[in-house]
Amino acid sequence: MSEKNILYKERQRFRQFWLWAVVLAVASIFWLGLVYQVLLGGAFGSRPVSDVSVVVLFVLVGLGLPLFFYGMRLTTEVEPGELRLRFWPFHLKPVEIPLHLVREYELITYNPIMEYGGWGIRWSARGKAYNMSGNEGVKLYFYNSKPLLIGSQRAAELFRAIGEAKQQQV
């Protein structure tokens, strides 16, 4: 569909300070290993690996891990009759949800860790969740499957857009 039919669009990234502190702390160990062993000629650790291995680990973890988390994003789009979710890099194509399959939906505040085990694409007894940060979202209830939670930084706007999109179904 064209851009003019989009009723709602949101792109989210991981914004939690603590998550970035952990990711960068892990990556910094590999940065230090590279500097100390390869650039300064020391032996990093009690059983050092080869310089080539240090460089490979630096690229994979020291650079790759932060870039992987930085590149992750959840895109939510609502169009008449359809909701699309894409959690990049795990979804190459958006997950399309026909809104005629949704029997009801609600605006909720939830506890991501206690109810779904954290952020990301999560499965629990409560259903599936797509969330990046925060604790607000819209929960969809289907006729023939478990509920789906969509976390949002603009949950009230997403809720209204879903209502409008259900009314405009073709």
Side-chain angles (χ1 to χ4, degrees), residues 51-96:
D51 287 356
V52 171
S53 297
V54 170
V55 171
V56 168
L57 288 170
F58 168 75
V59 169
L60 291 176
V61 181
L63 295 176
L65 185 67
L67 288 173
F68 179 73
F69 274 89
Y70 180 75
M72 272 194 231
R73 64 186 174 273
L74 173 61
T75 303
T76 306
E77 292 182 344
V78 179
E79 291 186 1
E82 183 176 72
L83 183 141
R84 285 193 306 273
L85 298 167
R86 183 174 179 204
F87 200 112
W88 198 88
F90 303 106
H91 296 140
L92 298 178
K93 295 183 344 185
V95 174
E96 297 176 351

mmCIF file of all heavy atoms in Angstrom, residues 51-96:
data_model
loop_
_atom_site.group_PDB
_atom_site.id
_atom_site.type_symbol
_atom_site.label_atom_id
_atom_site.label_comp_id
_atom_site.label_asym_id
_atom_site.label_seq_id
_atom_site.Cartn_x
_atom_site.Cartn_y
_atom_site.Cartn_z
ATOM 1 N N ASP A 51 46.889 -13.230 18.089
ATOM 2 C CA ASP A 51 46.481 -11.879 17.712
ATOM 3 C C ASP A 51 45.343 -11.907 16.680
ATOM 4 O O ASP A 51 44.430 -11.084 16.732
ATOM 5 C CB ASP A 51 47.661 -11.084 17.149
ATOM 6 C CG ASP A 51 48.655 -10.679 18.231
ATOM 7 O OD1 ASP A 51 48.386 -10.958 19.417
ATOM 8 O OD2 ASP A 51 49.689 -10.079 17.887
ATOM 9 N N VAL A 52 45.400 -12.871 15.766
ATOM 10 C CA VAL A 52 44.344 -12.992 14.758
ATOM 11 C C VAL A 52 43.009 -13.292 15.448
ATOM 12 O O VAL A 52 41.980 -12.703 15.117
ATOM 13 C CB VAL A 52 44.693 -14.081 13.721
ATOM 14 C CG1 VAL A 52 43.511 -14.376 12.811
ATOM 15 C CG2 VAL A 52 45.918 -13.682 12.914
ATOM 16 N N SER A 53 43.029 -14.183 16.429
ATOM 17 C CA SER A 53 41.806 -14.507 17.171
ATOM 18 C C SER A 53 41.285 -13.298 17.931
ATOM 19 O O SER A 53 40.070 -13.073 18.008
ATOM 20 C CB SER A 53 42.059 -15.657 18.145
ATOM 21 O OG SER A 53 42.404 -16.825 17.440
ATOM 22 N N VAL A 54 42.180 -12.513 18.496
ATOM 23 C CA VAL A 54 41.766 -11.297 19.217
ATOM 24 C C VAL A 54 41.086 -10.328 18.253
ATOM 25 O O VAL A 54 40.050 -9.751 18.581
ATOM 26 C CB VAL A 54 42.977 -10.629 19.918
ATOM 27 C CG1 VAL A 54 42.613 -9.243 20.450
ATOM 28 C CG2 VAL A 54 43.492 -11.500 21.042
ATOM 29 N N VAL A 55 41.635 -10.165 17.072
ATOM 30 C CA VAL A 55 41.036 -9.262 16.079
ATOM 31 C C VAL A 55 39.661 -9.786 15.651
ATOM 32 O O VAL A 55 38.695 -9.015 15.553
ATOM 33 C CB VAL A 55 41.974 -9.079 14.861
ATOM 34 C CG1 VAL A 55 41.279 -8.333 13.739
ATOM 35 C CG2 VAL A 55 43.243 -8.349 15.281
ATOM 36 N N VAL A 56 39.559 -11.088 15.407
ATOM 37 C CA VAL A 56 38.274 -11.673 15.008
ATOM 38 C C VAL A 56 37.238 -11.482 16.123
ATOM 39 O O VAL A 56 36.102 -11.066 15.873
ATOM 40 C CB VAL A 56 38.428 -13.169 14.649
ATOM 41 C CG1 VAL A 56 37.078 -13.850 14.513
ATOM 42 C CG2 VAL A 56 39.236 -13.318 13.365
ATOM 43 N N LEU A 57 37.616 -11.751 17.366
ATOM 44 C CA LEU A 57 36.694 -11.563 18.492
ATOM 45 C C LEU A 57 36.316 -10.094 18.663
ATOM 46 O O LEU A 57 35.172 -9.762 18.978
ATOM 47 C CB LEU A 57 37.308 -12.112 19.780
ATOM 48 C CG LEU A 57 37.380 -13.634 19.870
ATOM 49 C CD1 LEU A 57 38.222 -14.070 21.056
ATOM 50 C CD2 LEU A 57 35.985 -14.214 19.951
ATOM 51 N N PHE A 58 37.285 -9.205 18.446
ATOM 52 C CA PHE A 58 37.002 -7.769 18.525
ATOM 53 C C PHE A 58 35.954 -7.372 17.488
ATOM 54 O O PHE A 58 35.002 -6.659 17.803
ATOM 55 C CB PHE A 58 38.279 -6.954 18.314
ATOM 56 C CG PHE A 58 38.012 -5.497 18.091
ATOM 57 C CD1 PHE A 58 37.658 -4.679 19.150
ATOM 58 C CD2 PHE A 58 38.091 -4.950 16.830
ATOM 59 C CE1 PHE A 58 37.388 -3.326 18.947
ATOM 60 C CE2 PHE A 58 37.824 -3.609 16.612
ATOM 61 C CZ PHE A 58 37.479 -2.787 17.676
ATOM 62 N N VAL A 59 36.116 -7.855 16.271
ATOM 63 C CA VAL A 59 35.157 -7.515 15.212
ATOM 64 C C VAL A 59 33.779 -8.093 15.537
ATOM 65 O O VAL A 59 32.762 -7.397 15.424
ATOM 66 C CB VAL A 59 35.656 -7.999 13.829
ATOM 67 C CG1 VAL A 59 34.572 -7.885 12.781
ATOM 68 C CG2 VAL A 59 36.897 -7.219 13.412
ATOM 69 N N LEU A 60 33.734 -9.370 15.958
ATOM 70 C CA LEU A 60 32.449 -10.018 16.236
ATOM 71 C C LEU A 60 31.745 -9.443 17.462
ATOM 72 O O LEU A 60 30.548 -9.154 17.414
ATOM 73 C CB LEU A 60 32.637 -11.520 16.420
ATOM 74 C CG LEU A 60 33.019 -12.309 15.179
ATOM 75 C CD1 LEU A 60 33.270 -13.768 15.533
ATOM 76 C CD2 LEU A 60 31.934 -12.204 14.124
ATOM 77 N N VAL A 61 32.476 -9.278 18.555
ATOM 78 C CA VAL A 61 31.847 -8.865 19.808
ATOM 79 C C VAL A 61 32.068 -7.378 20.095
ATOM 80 O O VAL A 61 31.128 -6.668 20.441
ATOM 81 C CB VAL A 61 32.345 -9.726 20.990
ATOM 82 C CG1 VAL A 61 31.663 -9.313 22.290
ATOM 83 C CG2 VAL A 61 32.111 -11.200 20.718
ATOM 84 N N GLY A 62 33.282 -6.913 19.934
ATOM 85 C CA GLY A 62 33.586 -5.519 20.247
ATOM 86 C C GLY A 62 32.889 -4.523 19.335
ATOM 87 O O GLY A 62 32.484 -3.448 19.762
ATOM 88 N N LEU A 63 32.747 -4.876 18.073
ATOM 89 C CA LEU A 63 32.024 -4.028 17.124
ATOM 90 C C LEU A 63 30.641 -4.591 16.804
ATOM 91 O O LEU A 63 29.652 -3.860 16.756
ATOM 92 C CB LEU A 63 32.818 -3.878 15.823
ATOM 93 C CG LEU A 63 34.152 -3.148 15.900
ATOM 94 C CD1 LEU A 63 34.842 -3.167 14.545
ATOM 95 C CD2 LEU A 63 33.971 -1.734 16.391
ATOM 96 N N GLY A 64 30.583 -5.909 16.579
ATOM 97 C CA GLY A 64 29.333 -6.534 16.138
ATOM 98 C C GLY A 64 28.202 -6.455 17.146
ATOM 99 O O GLY A 64 27.054 -6.170 16.780
ATOM 100 N N LEU A 65 28.488 -6.693 18.418
ATOM 101 C CA LEU A 65 27.435 -6.675 19.435
ATOM 102 C C LEU A 65 26.771 -5.296 19.560
ATOM 103 O O LEU A 65 25.544 -5.201 19.476
ATOM 104 C CB LEU A 65 27.980 -7.160 20.782
ATOM 105 C CG LEU A 65 26.970 -7.308 21.906
ATOM 106 C CD1 LEU A 65 25.989 -8.438 21.593
ATOM 107 C CD2 LEU A 65 27.684 -7.574 23.228
ATOM 108 N N PRO A 66 27.532 -4.207 19.724
ATOM 109 C CA PRO A 66 26.872 -2.895 19.784
ATOM 110 C C PRO A 66 26.132 -2.550 18.487
ATOM 111 O O PRO A 66 25.028 -1.989 18.526
ATOM 112 C CB PRO A 66 28.014 -1.908 20.035
ATOM 113 C CG PRO A 66 29.122 -2.718 20.581
ATOM 114 C CD PRO A 66 28.967 -4.091 20.007
ATOM 115 N N LEU A 67 26.708 -2.882 17.344
ATOM 116 C CA LEU A 67 26.030 -2.589 16.075
ATOM 117 C C LEU A 67 24.746 -3.409 15.931
ATOM 118 O O LEU A 67 23.745 -2.907 15.412
ATOM 119 C CB LEU A 67 26.963 -2.851 14.897
ATOM 120 C CG LEU A 67 28.089 -1.839 14.722
ATOM 121 C CD1 LEU A 67 29.049 -2.280 13.625
ATOM 122 C CD2 LEU A 67 27.545 -0.455 14.440
ATOM 123 N N PHE A 68 24.772 -4.647 16.386
ATOM 124 C CA PHE A 68 23.581 -5.487 16.338
ATOM 125 C C PHE A 68 22.453 -4.868 17.167
ATOM 126 O O PHE A 68 21.320 -4.732 16.698
ATOM 127 C CB PHE A 68 23.923 -6.890 16.843
ATOM 128 C CG PHE A 68 22.766 -7.838 16.866
ATOM 129 C CD1 PHE A 68 22.249 -8.352 15.698
ATOM 130 C CD2 PHE A 68 22.185 -8.207 18.064
ATOM 131 C CE1 PHE A 68 21.181 -9.235 15.705
ATOM 132 C CE2 PHE A 68 21.116 -9.089 18.094
ATOM 133 C CZ PHE A 68 20.615 -9.595 16.911
ATOM 134 N N PHE A 69 22.758 -4.469 18.397
ATOM 135 C CA PHE A 69 21.732 -3.860 19.243
ATOM 136 C C PHE A 69 21.299 -2.500 18.715
ATOM 137 O O PHE A 69 20.129 -2.146 18.800
ATOM 138 C CB PHE A 69 22.211 -3.754 20.695
ATOM 139 C CG PHE A 69 21.952 -4.999 21.476
ATOM 140 C CD1 PHE A 69 22.890 -6.019 21.501
ATOM 141 C CD2 PHE A 69 20.773 -5.174 22.165
ATOM 142 C CE1 PHE A 69 22.654 -7.189 22.204
ATOM 143 C CE2 PHE A 69 20.518 -6.340 22.872
ATOM 144 C CZ PHE A 69 21.462 -7.350 22.886
ATOM 145 N N TYR A 70 22.225 -1.746 18.168
ATOM 146 C CA TYR A 70 21.864 -0.444 17.596
ATOM 147 C C TYR A 70 20.946 -0.615 16.379
ATOM 148 O O TYR A 70 20.032 0.161 16.164
ATOM 149 C CB TYR A 70 23.116 0.342 17.195
ATOM 150 C CG TYR A 70 22.770 1.689 16.615
ATOM 151 C CD1 TYR A 70 22.364 2.723 17.434
ATOM 152 C CD2 TYR A 70 22.823 1.903 15.244
ATOM 153 C CE1 TYR A 70 22.024 3.961 16.903
ATOM 154 C CE2 TYR A 70 22.484 3.133 14.706
ATOM 155 C CZ TYR A 70 22.086 4.155 15.541
ATOM 156 O OH TYR A 70 21.732 5.371 15.008
ATOM 157 N N GLY A 71 21.187 -1.645 15.591
ATOM 158 C CA GLY A 71 20.402 -1.869 14.379
ATOM 159 C C GLY A 71 19.017 -2.437 14.633
ATOM 160 O O GLY A 71 18.134 -2.324 13.787
ATOM 161 N N MET A 72 18.799 -3.044 15.792
ATOM 162 C CA MET A 72 17.481 -3.611 16.082
ATOM 163 C C MET A 72 16.439 -2.514 16.148
ATOM 164 O O MET A 72 16.666 -1.466 16.738
ATOM 165 C CB MET A 72 17.498 -4.336 17.425
ATOM 166 C CG MET A 72 17.905 -5.758 17.335
ATOM 167 S SD MET A 72 17.483 -6.573 18.883
ATOM 168 C CE MET A 72 19.023 -7.331 19.236
ATOM 169 N N ARG A 73 15.300 -2.791 15.523
ATOM 170 C CA ARG A 73 14.205 -1.830 15.603
ATOM 171 C C ARG A 73 12.882 -2.548 15.384
ATOM 172 O O ARG A 73 12.806 -3.544 14.675
ATOM 173 C CB ARG A 73 14.385 -0.691 14.621
ATOM 174 C CG ARG A 73 14.355 -1.088 13.172
ATOM 175 C CD ARG A 73 14.687 0.110 12.268
ATOM 176 N NE ARG A 73 14.789 -0.302 10.904
ATOM 177 C CZ ARG A 73 15.881 -0.771 10.323
ATOM 178 N NH1 ARG A 73 16.983 -0.888 11.018
ATOM 179 N NH2 ARG A 73 15.886 -1.116 9.060
ATOM 180 N N LEU A 74 11.872 -2.004 16.023
ATOM 181 C CA LEU A 74 10.513 -2.507 15.872
ATOM 182 C C LEU A 74 9.719 -1.448 15.133
ATOM 183 O O LEU A 74 9.602 -0.316 15.588
ATOM 184 C CB LEU A 74 9.875 -2.769 17.247
ATOM 185 C CG LEU A 74 8.390 -3.138 17.260
ATOM 186 C CD1 LEU A 74 8.132 -4.426 16.487
ATOM 187 C CD2 LEU A 74 7.891 -3.260 18.690
ATOM 188 N N THR A 75 9.207 -1.822 13.972
ATOM 189 C CA THR A 75 8.383 -0.915 13.178
ATOM 190 C C THR A 75 6.951 -1.423 13.228
ATOM 191 O O THR A 75 6.687 -2.591 12.943
ATOM 192 C CB THR A 75 8.872 -0.856 11.717
ATOM 193 O OG1 THR A 75 10.244 -0.470 11.709
ATOM 194 C CG2 THR A 75 8.056 0.137 10.905
ATOM 195 N N THR A 76 6.049 -0.530 13.601
ATOM 196 C CA THR A 76 4.623 -0.842 13.671
ATOM 197 C C THR A 76 3.903 0.078 12.704
ATOM 198 O O THR A 76 4.088 1.299 12.760
ATOM 199 C CB THR A 76 4.084 -0.610 15.099
ATOM 200 O OG1 THR A 76 4.887 -1.340 16.021
ATOM 201 C CG2 THR A 76 2.635 -1.044 15.214
ATOM 202 N N GLU A 77 3.104 -0.493 11.824
ATOM 203 C CA GLU A 77 2.307 0.295 10.878
ATOM 204 C C GLU A 77 0.867 -0.189 10.926
ATOM 205 O O GLU A 77 0.611 -1.383 11.015
ATOM 206 C CB GLU A 77 2.823 0.141 9.446
ATOM 207 C CG GLU A 77 4.161 0.756 9.196
ATOM 208 C CD GLU A 77 4.620 0.620 7.756
ATOM 209 O OE1 GLU A 77 4.037 -0.207 7.009
ATOM 210 O OE2 GLU A 77 5.555 1.321 7.383
ATOM 211 N N VAL A 78 -0.050 0.776 10.849
ATOM 212 C CA VAL A 78 -1.477 0.453 10.802
ATOM 213 C C VAL A 78 -2.049 1.083 9.541
ATOM 214 O O VAL A 78 -1.848 2.277 9.288
ATOM 215 C CB VAL A 78 -2.220 0.987 12.046
ATOM 216 C CG1 VAL A 78 -3.710 0.663 11.957
ATOM 217 C CG2 VAL A 78 -1.620 0.425 13.320
ATOM 218 N N GLU A 79 -2.718 0.260 8.763
ATOM 219 C CA GLU A 79 -3.429 0.711 7.565
ATOM 220 C C GLU A 79 -4.859 0.210 7.669
ATOM 221 O O GLU A 79 -5.137 -0.679 8.474
ATOM 222 C CB GLU A 79 -2.779 0.144 6.301
ATOM 223 C CG GLU A 79 -1.430 0.716 6.001
ATOM 224 C CD GLU A 79 -0.878 0.244 4.669
ATOM 225 O OE1 GLU A 79 -1.574 -0.522 3.965
ATOM 226 O OE2 GLU A 79 0.239 0.628 4.340
ATOM 227 N N PRO A 80 -5.760 0.725 6.877
ATOM 228 C CA PRO A 80 -7.128 0.218 6.924
ATOM 229 C C PRO A 80 -7.154 -1.305 6.760
ATOM 230 O O PRO A 80 -6.647 -1.848 5.789
ATOM 231 C CB PRO A 80 -7.812 0.920 5.747
ATOM 232 C CG PRO A 80 -7.050 2.208 5.619
ATOM 233 C CD PRO A 80 -5.633 1.846 5.939
ATOM 234 N N GLY A 81 -7.681 -1.975 7.787
ATOM 235 C CA GLY A 81 -7.830 -3.424 7.730
ATOM 236 C C GLY A 81 -6.605 -4.240 8.073
ATOM 237 O O GLY A 81 -6.674 -5.468 8.092
ATOM 238 N N GLU A 82 -5.460 -3.602 8.351
ATOM 239 C CA GLU A 82 -4.238 -4.386 8.557
ATOM 240 C C GLU A 82 -3.269 -3.684 9.502
ATOM 241 O O GLU A 82 -3.128 -2.467 9.497
ATOM 242 C CB GLU A 82 -3.549 -4.611 7.216
ATOM 243 C CG GLU A 82 -2.319 -5.476 7.297
ATOM 244 C CD GLU A 82 -1.724 -5.742 5.941
ATOM 245 O OE1 GLU A 82 -1.137 -4.814 5.340
ATOM 246 O OE2 GLU A 82 -1.866 -6.879 5.468
ATOM 247 N N LEU A 83 -2.585 -4.520 10.294
ATOM 248 C CA LEU A 83 -1.508 -4.042 11.153
ATOM 249 C C LEU A 83 -0.258 -4.818 10.751
ATOM 250 O O LEU A 83 -0.334 -6.025 10.502
ATOM 251 C CB LEU A 83 -1.870 -4.319 12.616
ATOM 252 C CG LEU A 83 -0.888 -3.819 13.653
ATOM 253 C CD1 LEU A 83 -1.666 -3.276 14.840
ATOM 254 C CD2 LEU A 83 0.045 -4.903 14.098
ATOM 255 N N ARG A 84 0.864 -4.113 10.640
ATOM 256 C CA ARG A 84 2.123 -4.773 10.269
ATOM 257 C C ARG A 84 3.168 -4.505 11.339
ATOM 258 O O ARG A 84 3.317 -3.376 11.808
ATOM 259 C CB ARG A 84 2.624 -4.264 8.923
ATOM 260 C CG ARG A 84 1.853 -4.822 7.752
ATOM 261 C CD ARG A 84 2.542 -4.556 6.433
ATOM 262 N NE ARG A 84 2.848 -3.158 6.205
ATOM 263 C CZ ARG A 84 2.014 -2.285 5.648
ATOM 264 N NH1 ARG A 84 0.821 -2.669 5.263
ATOM 265 N NH2 ARG A 84 2.373 -1.036 5.479
ATOM 266 N N LEU A 85 3.916 -5.562 11.663
ATOM 267 C CA LEU A 85 5.015 -5.482 12.621
ATOM 268 C C LEU A 85 6.268 -6.025 11.963
ATOM 269 O O LEU A 85 6.226 -7.036 11.272
ATOM 270 C CB LEU A 85 4.721 -6.332 13.859
ATOM 271 C CG LEU A 85 3.514 -5.952 14.688
ATOM 272 C CD1 LEU A 85 3.196 -7.056 15.660
ATOM 273 C CD2 LEU A 85 3.784 -4.655 15.407
ATOM 274 N N ARG A 86 7.367 -5.341 12.221
ATOM 275 C CA ARG A 86 8.649 -5.854 11.721
ATOM 276 C C ARG A 86 9.700 -5.597 12.789
ATOM 277 O O ARG A 86 9.979 -4.451 13.132
ATOM 278 C CB ARG A 86 9.036 -5.168 10.425
ATOM 279 C CG ARG A 86 10.314 -5.741 9.857
ATOM 280 C CD ARG A 86 10.611 -5.166 8.503
ATOM 281 N NE ARG A 86 11.844 -5.709 7.999
ATOM 282 C CZ ARG A 86 12.602 -5.133 7.104
ATOM 283 N NH1 ARG A 86 12.226 -3.989 6.571
ATOM 284 N NH2 ARG A 86 13.716 -5.687 6.706
ATOM 285 N N PHE A 87 10.242 -6.671 13.318
ATOM 286 C CA PHE A 87 11.308 -6.570 14.314
ATOM 287 C C PHE A 87 12.604 -6.923 13.596
ATOM 288 O O PHE A 87 12.963 -8.080 13.464
ATOM 289 C CB PHE A 87 11.041 -7.536 15.466
ATOM 290 C CG PHE A 87 11.778 -7.187 16.721
ATOM 291 C CD1 PHE A 87 11.099 -6.761 17.842
ATOM 292 C CD2 PHE A 87 13.150 -7.282 16.785
ATOM 293 C CE1 PHE A 87 11.764 -6.451 19.004
ATOM 294 C CE2 PHE A 87 13.833 -6.968 17.932
ATOM 295 C CZ PHE A 87 13.136 -6.546 19.054
ATOM 296 N N TRP A 88 13.288 -5.889 13.105
ATOM 297 C CA TRP A 88 14.500 -6.091 12.331
ATOM 298 C C TRP A 88 15.650 -6.336 13.275
ATOM 299 O O TRP A 88 15.728 -5.678 14.295
ATOM 300 C CB TRP A 88 14.773 -4.860 11.455
ATOM 301 C CG TRP A 88 15.730 -5.165 10.361
ATOM 302 C CD1 TRP A 88 15.444 -5.638 9.131
ATOM 303 C CD2 TRP A 88 17.153 -5.036 10.421
ATOM 304 N NE1 TRP A 88 16.592 -5.820 8.420
ATOM 305 C CE2 TRP A 88 17.664 -5.457 9.198
ATOM 306 C CE3 TRP A 88 18.042 -4.627 11.398
ATOM 307 C CZ2 TRP A 88 19.019 -5.464 8.927
ATOM 308 C CZ3 TRP A 88 19.386 -4.633 11.135
ATOM 309 C CH2 TRP A 88 19.859 -5.048 9.901
ATOM 310 N N PRO A 89 16.512 -7.270 13.061
ATOM 311 C CA PRO A 89 16.816 -8.057 11.877
ATOM 312 C C PRO A 89 16.161 -9.435 11.851
ATOM 313 O O PRO A 89 16.458 -10.253 10.985
ATOM 314 C CB PRO A 89 18.327 -8.213 11.955
ATOM 315 C CG PRO A 89 18.606 -8.315 13.411
ATOM 316 C CD PRO A 89 17.596 -7.404 14.060
ATOM 317 N N PHE A 90 15.249 -9.707 12.766
ATOM 318 C CA PHE A 90 14.646 -11.038 12.848
ATOM 319 C C PHE A 90 13.547 -11.257 11.811
ATOM 320 O O PHE A 90 13.291 -12.390 11.429
ATOM 321 C CB PHE A 90 14.118 -11.289 14.258
ATOM 322 C CG PHE A 90 15.198 -11.150 15.294
ATOM 323 C CD1 PHE A 90 15.249 -10.056 16.128
ATOM 324 C CD2 PHE A 90 16.201 -12.099 15.388
ATOM 325 C CE1 PHE A 90 16.260 -9.921 17.061
ATOM 326 C CE2 PHE A 90 17.222 -11.964 16.313
ATOM 327 C CZ PHE A 90 17.247 -10.873 17.154
ATOM 328 N N HIS A 91 12.898 -10.207 11.390
ATOM 329 C CA HIS A 91 11.884 -10.313 10.342
ATOM 330 C C HIS A 91 12.397 -9.612 9.095
ATOM 331 O O HIS A 91 12.593 -8.393 9.111
ATOM 332 C CB HIS A 91 10.575 -9.631 10.759
ATOM 333 C CG HIS A 91 9.906 -10.260 11.923
ATOM 334 N ND1 HIS A 91 9.306 -9.532 12.916
ATOM 335 C CD2 HIS A 91 9.730 -11.562 12.266
ATOM 336 C CE1 HIS A 91 8.791 -10.347 13.811
ATOM 337 N NE2 HIS A 91 9.035 -11.586 13.440
ATOM 338 N N LEU A 92 12.599 -10.356 8.048
ATOM 339 C CA LEU A 92 13.012 -9.734 6.795
ATOM 340 C C LEU A 92 11.822 -9.062 6.117
ATOM 341 O O LEU A 92 11.979 -8.061 5.433
ATOM 342 C CB LEU A 92 13.650 -10.771 5.875
ATOM 343 C CG LEU A 92 14.928 -11.412 6.439
ATOM 344 C CD1 LEU A 92 15.462 -12.458 5.466
ATOM 345 C CD2 LEU A 92 15.983 -10.370 6.753
ATOM 346 N N LYS A 93 10.642 -9.640 6.323
ATOM 347 C CA LYS A 93 9.403 -9.050 5.820
ATOM 348 C C LYS A 93 8.487 -8.807 7.016
ATOM 349 O O LYS A 93 8.552 -9.543 7.997
ATOM 350 C CB LYS A 93 8.722 -9.979 4.819
ATOM 351 C CG LYS A 93 9.527 -10.193 3.558
ATOM 352 C CD LYS A 93 8.874 -11.044 2.482
ATOM 353 C CE LYS A 93 7.720 -11.880 2.875
ATOM 354 N NZ LYS A 93 7.222 -12.760 1.813
ATOM 355 N N PRO A 94 7.619 -7.820 6.934
ATOM 356 C CA PRO A 94 6.726 -7.557 8.067
ATOM 357 C C PRO A 94 5.754 -8.707 8.327
ATOM 358 O O PRO A 94 5.350 -9.422 7.411
ATOM 359 C CB PRO A 94 5.946 -6.309 7.636
ATOM 360 C CG PRO A 94 6.704 -5.724 6.504
ATOM 361 C CD PRO A 94 7.464 -6.837 5.868
ATOM 362 N N VAL A 95 5.396 -8.853 9.596
ATOM 363 C CA VAL A 95 4.331 -9.772 9.986
ATOM 364 C C VAL A 95 3.031 -9.007 9.769
ATOM 365 O O VAL A 95 2.827 -7.935 10.335
ATOM 366 C CB VAL A 95 4.472 -10.184 11.468
ATOM 367 C CG1 VAL A 95 3.282 -11.015 11.914
ATOM 368 C CG2 VAL A 95 5.780 -10.919 11.697
ATOM 369 N N GLU A 96 2.161 -9.537 8.925
ATOM 370 C CA GLU A 96 0.911 -8.856 8.592
ATOM 371 C C GLU A 96 -0.227 -9.475 9.387
ATOM 372 O O GLU A 96 -0.409 -10.697 9.377
ATOM 373 C CB GLU A 96 0.647 -8.941 7.093
ATOM 374 C CG GLU A 96 1.722 -8.242 6.287
ATOM 375 C CD GLU A 96 1.552 -8.379 4.791
ATOM 376 O OE1 GLU A 96 0.686 -9.164 4.344
ATOM 377 O OE2 GLU A 96 2.291 -7.697 4.070
#
